[in-house]
Amino acid sequence: MRTFSPSLRLAAPGELRTDRKEALRYLGYGKTAPDETVLKLMDSCEKELLEACQGRACWLRVPVTFPAPYSVKLGFVTVESVSLAKHLAGCHGALLFAATLGIGADRLIARWNRLRPSRSAVLDALASSTIECWCDDVERELTQGEEKHCERFSPGYGDFPLEHQKDFLHSLDMNRTLGVTLTDSLLMKPSKSVTAVIGLGASARTCGHKCMFCDKTNCIYREVIS
């Protein structure tokens, strides 16, 4: 049951940004450089995408306790997860966090998928980079002044059950605050949305690389970890 009201943050005009390097990685460009045609297409898509996006983020600060081995209590939500318990070791609090680009990005991608699939693919990749940039920017803002914090850890990472998307939905009142709902398969709509736990505490551990959280080592989007 939700007992506190989440805080809300709206993106200011011109605040949202893309990450070309990340978008190219999503498109499958590793060590291969894109040609001029792809770069021009990205230029064209970027402006159209950012005009369609409406960045929103919300969060709720909760205490963190460990009632049993590999069991984490996040305020009024208890999660049985080895990977989350290890990630939050040393944390005394956390932010339940969610963000979205809004339905406009999904509609734009779907429209171009009917008209020109190649443009839709570029828009989708750019949108994926944009939601990550938006999350990074808000997270940086929220954790200023904290002694230390962990990187975002989302349902679906490791053995953190995707079923807990429902807890985020209710705790953060995401339908009202962000306009986000869940499908029967626990996917978020709009699709360019993120939920995550951000651990807080002087002894919080950080690895500095989000792909180190995930055990899907064969993922085609996995970043190279040096």
Side-chain angles (χ1 to χ4, degrees), residues 152-193:
R152 295 189 300 276
F153 200 97
S154 298
Y157 284 6
D159 64 346
F160 186 2
L162 199 60
E163 183 74 18
H164 286 288
Q165 293 282 46
K166 295 178 181 178
D167 292 321
F168 281 89
L169 184 77
H170 296 303
S171 299
L172 297 175
D173 199 7
M174 289 168 58
N175 192 5
R176 180 184 63 83
T177 56
L178 303 184
V180 172
T181 60
L182 290 179
T183 67
D184 291 340
S185 55
L186 302 177
L187 298 178
M188 285 181 283
K189 293 180 66 177
S191 65
K192 301 307 178 184
S193 303

Coordinates of all heavy atoms in Angstrom, one line a residue, residues 152-193:
R152 N 21.6 2.6 -10.7 CA 20.2 2.1 -10.8 C 20.2 0.6 -10.9 O 21.0 0.0 -11.6 CB 19.5 2.7 -12.0 CG 19.3 4.2 -11.9 CD 18.4 4.7 -13.0 NE 19.0 4.5 -14.4 CZ 19.9 5.2 -15.0 NH1 20.4 6.3 -14.4 NH2 20.3 5.0 -16.2
F153 N 19.2 0.0 -10.3 CA 19.1 -1.5 -10.4 C 17.6 -1.7 -10.7 O 16.7 -1.4 -9.8 CB 19.5 -2.2 -9.1 CG 19.8 -3.6 -9.3 CD1 21.1 -4.1 -9.5 CD2 18.8 -4.6 -9.2 CE1 21.4 -5.4 -9.6 CE2 19.1 -5.9 -9.4 CZ 20.4 -6.4 -9.6
S154 N 17.3 -2.3 -11.8 CA 15.9 -2.4 -12.2 C 15.3 -3.8 -12.1 O 16.1 -4.8 -12.2 CB 15.8 -2.0 -13.7 OG 16.1 -0.6 -13.9
P155 N 14.0 -4.0 -11.9 CA 13.4 -5.3 -12.0 C 13.8 -5.9 -13.4 O 13.7 -5.3 -14.4 CB 11.9 -5.0 -12.0 CG 11.8 -3.7 -11.2 CD 13.0 -2.9 -11.6
G156 N 14.1 -7.2 -13.3 CA 14.6 -7.9 -14.5 C 16.1 -8.1 -14.5 O 16.6 -9.0 -15.2
Y157 N 16.8 -7.2 -13.7 CA 18.3 -7.4 -13.6 C 18.5 -8.6 -12.6 O 17.9 -8.7 -11.6 CB 18.9 -6.2 -12.9 CG 19.1 -5.0 -13.8 CD1 18.6 -4.9 -15.1 CD2 19.8 -3.9 -13.4 CE1 18.8 -3.8 -15.9 CE2 20.0 -2.8 -14.1 CZ 19.5 -2.7 -15.4 OH 19.7 -1.6 -16.2
G158 N 19.5 -9.5 -13.0 CA 19.8 -10.6 -12.2 C 18.5 -11.4 -11.8 O 17.7 -11.7 -12.7
D159 N 18.3 -11.7 -10.5 CA 17.1 -12.4 -10.1 C 16.1 -11.5 -9.4 O 15.3 -11.9 -8.6 CB 17.5 -13.6 -9.2 CG 18.1 -13.1 -7.9 OD1 18.5 -11.9 -7.8 OD2 18.2 -13.9 -6.9
F160 N 16.2 -10.2 -9.7 CA 15.2 -9.2 -9.2 C 13.9 -9.4 -10.0 O 13.9 -9.0 -11.2 CB 15.7 -7.8 -9.4 CG 14.9 -6.7 -8.8 CD1 13.7 -6.9 -8.1 CD2 15.3 -5.4 -8.9 CE1 13.0 -5.9 -7.5 CE2 14.6 -4.3 -8.4 CZ 13.4 -4.6 -7.7
P161 N 12.9 -10.0 -9.5 CA 11.7 -10.4 -10.3 C 11.0 -9.3 -10.9 O 10.7 -8.2 -10.3 CB 10.8 -11.1 -9.2 CG 11.7 -11.5 -8.1 CD 12.7 -10.5 -8.0
L162 N 10.6 -9.5 -12.2 CA 9.9 -8.5 -13.0 C 8.5 -8.2 -12.3 O 7.9 -7.2 -12.6 CB 9.8 -8.9 -14.4 CG 9.4 -7.9 -15.5 CD1 10.5 -6.8 -15.5 CD2 9.3 -8.5 -16.8
E163 N 8.0 -9.2 -11.6 CA 6.7 -9.1 -10.9 C 6.7 -7.8 -10.0 O 5.6 -7.2 -9.8 CB 6.5 -10.3 -10.0 CG 5.2 -10.3 -9.3 CD 4.0 -10.6 -10.3 OE1 4.2 -11.1 -11.4 OE2 2.9 -10.4 -9.9
H164 N 7.9 -7.3 -9.6 CA 7.9 -6.1 -8.7 C 7.6 -4.8 -9.5 O 7.6 -3.8 -8.9 CB 9.2 -6.1 -8.0 CG 9.3 -7.1 -6.9 ND1 8.6 -6.9 -5.7 CD2 10.0 -8.2 -6.7 CE1 8.8 -8.0 -4.9 NE2 9.7 -8.8 -5.5
Q165 N 7.5 -4.9 -10.8 CA 7.0 -3.7 -11.5 C 5.7 -3.3 -11.0 O 5.4 -2.1 -10.9 CB 6.8 -4.1 -13.0 CG 8.1 -4.4 -13.8 CD 8.8 -3.2 -14.2 OE1 9.1 -2.3 -13.4 NE2 9.3 -3.1 -15.4
K166 N 4.9 -4.2 -10.5 CA 3.6 -3.8 -9.9 C 3.8 -3.0 -8.6 O 3.0 -2.0 -8.4 CB 2.8 -5.1 -9.6 CG 2.4 -5.9 -10.8 CD 1.6 -7.1 -10.3 CE 1.2 -8.0 -11.5 NZ 0.5 -9.3 -11.1
D167 N 4.8 -3.3 -7.9 CA 5.1 -2.5 -6.6 C 5.5 -1.0 -7.0 O 5.0 -0.1 -6.3 CB 6.2 -3.1 -5.8 CG 5.7 -4.5 -5.2 OD1 4.6 -4.5 -4.8 OD2 6.5 -5.4 -5.2
F168 N 6.3 -0.9 -8.0 CA 6.6 0.4 -8.5 C 5.4 1.2 -9.0 O 5.2 2.4 -8.7 CB 7.7 0.4 -9.6 CG 9.1 0.1 -9.2 CD1 9.5 -1.2 -9.0 CD2 9.9 1.2 -8.9 CE1 10.8 -1.4 -8.6 CE2 11.2 0.9 -8.5 CZ 11.7 -0.4 -8.3
L169 N 4.6 0.5 -9.8 CA 3.4 1.1 -10.3 C 2.5 1.7 -9.2 O 2.0 2.8 -9.3 CB 2.6 0.1 -11.1 CG 1.4 0.6 -11.9 CD1 1.8 1.4 -13.1 CD2 0.4 -0.5 -12.2
H170 N 2.3 0.9 -8.1 CA 1.4 1.4 -7.1 C 2.1 2.3 -6.1 O 1.5 3.4 -5.7 CB 0.9 0.1 -6.3 CG 0.0 -0.8 -7.1 ND1 -1.1 -0.3 -7.7 CD2 0.1 -2.1 -7.4 CE1 -1.7 -1.3 -8.4 NE2 -0.9 -2.4 -8.2
S171 N 3.4 2.0 -5.8 CA 4.1 2.9 -4.8 C 4.3 4.3 -5.3 O 4.2 5.3 -4.6 CB 5.4 2.3 -4.5 OG 5.3 1.0 -3.9
L172 N 4.6 4.4 -6.6 CA 4.8 5.7 -7.3 C 3.6 6.3 -8.0 O 3.7 7.3 -8.6 CB 6.0 5.6 -8.3 CG 7.3 5.2 -7.6 CD1 8.4 4.9 -8.7 CD2 7.8 6.2 -6.6
D173 N 2.5 5.5 -7.9 CA 1.2 6.0 -8.5 C 1.5 6.4 -10.0 O 1.2 7.5 -10.5 CB 0.7 7.2 -7.8 CG -0.8 7.4 -8.1 OD1 -1.4 6.6 -8.8 OD2 -1.3 8.5 -7.6
M174 N 2.2 5.5 -10.7 CA 2.8 5.8 -12.0 C 1.8 6.2 -13.1 O 2.1 6.9 -14.0 CB 3.7 4.7 -12.5 CG 5.0 4.6 -11.7 SD 5.9 3.0 -12.0 CE 6.2 3.1 -13.8
N175 N 0.6 5.6 -12.9 CA -0.5 5.9 -13.9 C -0.8 7.4 -13.8 O -1.0 8.1 -14.9 CB -1.7 5.1 -13.7 CG -2.7 5.2 -14.8 OD1 -2.4 5.8 -15.8 ND2 -3.8 4.5 -14.6
R176 N -0.9 7.9 -12.6 CA -1.2 9.4 -12.4 C 0.0 10.3 -12.7 O -0.1 11.3 -13.3 CB -1.8 9.6 -11.0 CG -2.2 11.0 -10.7 CD -2.6 11.2 -9.3 NE -1.6 10.9 -8.3 CZ -0.6 11.8 -8.0 NH1 -0.6 13.0 -8.5 NH2 0.3 11.5 -7.1
T177 N 1.1 9.9 -12.0 CA 2.3 10.8 -12.1 C 3.0 10.8 -13.5 O 3.4 11.9 -13.9 CB 3.3 10.4 -11.0 OG1 3.7 9.0 -11.2 CG2 2.8 10.6 -9.6
L178 N 3.1 9.6 -14.1 CA 3.8 9.5 -15.3 C 3.0 9.1 -16.6 O 3.5 9.2 -17.7 CB 4.9 8.5 -15.2 CG 6.0 8.7 -14.1 CD1 7.0 7.6 -14.1 CD2 6.6 10.1 -14.1
G179 N 1.7 8.7 -16.3 CA 1.0 8.2 -17.4 C 1.4 6.8 -17.9 O 1.3 6.5 -19.1
V180 N 2.0 6.0 -17.0 CA 2.6 4.7 -17.3 C 1.7 3.6 -16.8 O 1.3 3.7 -15.6 CB 4.0 4.6 -16.8 CG1 4.5 3.2 -16.9 CG2 5.0 5.6 -17.5
T181 N 1.5 2.6 -17.6 CA 0.7 1.4 -17.1 C 1.5 0.2 -17.4 O 2.6 0.3 -18.1 CB -0.7 1.4 -17.9 OG1 -0.4 1.3 -19.3 CG2 -1.5 2.6 -17.6
L182 N 1.0 -1.0 -17.0 CA 1.7 -2.2 -17.2 C 0.8 -3.1 -18.1 O -0.4 -3.2 -17.9 CB 2.0 -3.0 -15.9 CG 3.0 -2.4 -15.0 CD1 3.1 -3.3 -13.7 CD2 4.4 -2.3 -15.7
T183 N 1.4 -3.9 -19.0 CA 0.7 -4.9 -19.8 C 0.6 -6.1 -18.9 O 1.2 -6.2 -17.8 CB 1.4 -5.2 -21.1 OG1 2.6 -5.9 -20.8 CG2 1.7 -3.9 -21.9
D184 N -0.2 -7.1 -19.4 CA -0.3 -8.4 -18.7 C 1.0 -9.1 -18.5 O 1.2 -9.9 -17.6 CB -1.3 -9.3 -19.4 CG -2.7 -8.8 -19.3 OD1 -3.0 -8.0 -18.4 OD2 -3.6 -9.2 -20.2
S185 N 2.0 -8.8 -19.5 CA 3.3 -9.4 -19.4 C 4.3 -8.6 -18.6 O 5.5 -8.8 -18.7 CB 3.8 -9.7 -20.8 OG 3.8 -8.5 -21.6
L186 N 3.8 -7.5 -17.9 CA 4.6 -6.7 -17.0 C 5.5 -5.7 -17.8 O 6.5 -5.2 -17.2 CB 5.4 -7.5 -16.0 CG 4.5 -8.4 -15.1 CD1 5.4 -9.2 -14.2 CD2 3.5 -7.6 -14.3
L187 N 5.2 -5.5 -19.1 CA 6.0 -4.5 -19.8 C 5.3 -3.1 -19.6 O 4.1 -3.0 -19.5 CB 6.0 -4.8 -21.3 CG 6.7 -6.2 -21.6 CD1 6.7 -6.4 -23.1 CD2 8.2 -6.1 -21.2
M188 N 6.1 -2.1 -19.6 CA 5.5 -0.7 -19.4 C 5.1 -0.1 -20.7 O 5.7 -0.3 -21.7 CB 6.6 0.1 -18.7 CG 6.8 -0.2 -17.3 SD 8.0 0.9 -16.4 CE 9.5 0.2 -17.0
K189 N 4.0 0.6 -20.6 CA 3.5 1.5 -21.7 C 3.3 2.9 -21.1 O 2.7 3.0 -20.1 CB 2.1 0.9 -22.2 CG 2.2 -0.4 -22.8 CD 0.8 -0.9 -23.3 CE 0.3 0.0 -24.4 NZ -1.0 -0.5 -24.9
P190 N 4.0 3.9 -21.8 CA 4.9 3.9 -22.9 C 6.1 3.0 -22.7 O 6.6 2.8 -21.6 CB 5.3 5.3 -23.1 CG 4.2 6.1 -22.4 CD 3.8 5.2 -21.2
S191 N 6.6 2.5 -23.8 CA 7.7 1.5 -23.8 C 9.0 2.2 -23.3 O 9.9 1.5 -22.7 CB 7.9 0.8 -25.1 OG 8.3 1.7 -26.1
K192 N 9.2 3.5 -23.7 CA 10.5 4.1 -23.3 C 10.3 4.7 -21.8 O 10.2 5.9 -21.6 CB 10.8 5.2 -24.2 CG 11.0 4.8 -25.7 CD 12.0 3.6 -25.8 CE 12.1 3.1 -27.2 NZ 13.0 1.9 -27.3
S193 N 10.2 3.7 -20.9 CA 10.0 4.0 -19.5 C 11.0 3.1 -18.7 O 11.3 2.0 -19.2 CB 8.6 3.8 -19.1 OG 7.7 4.5 -19.8

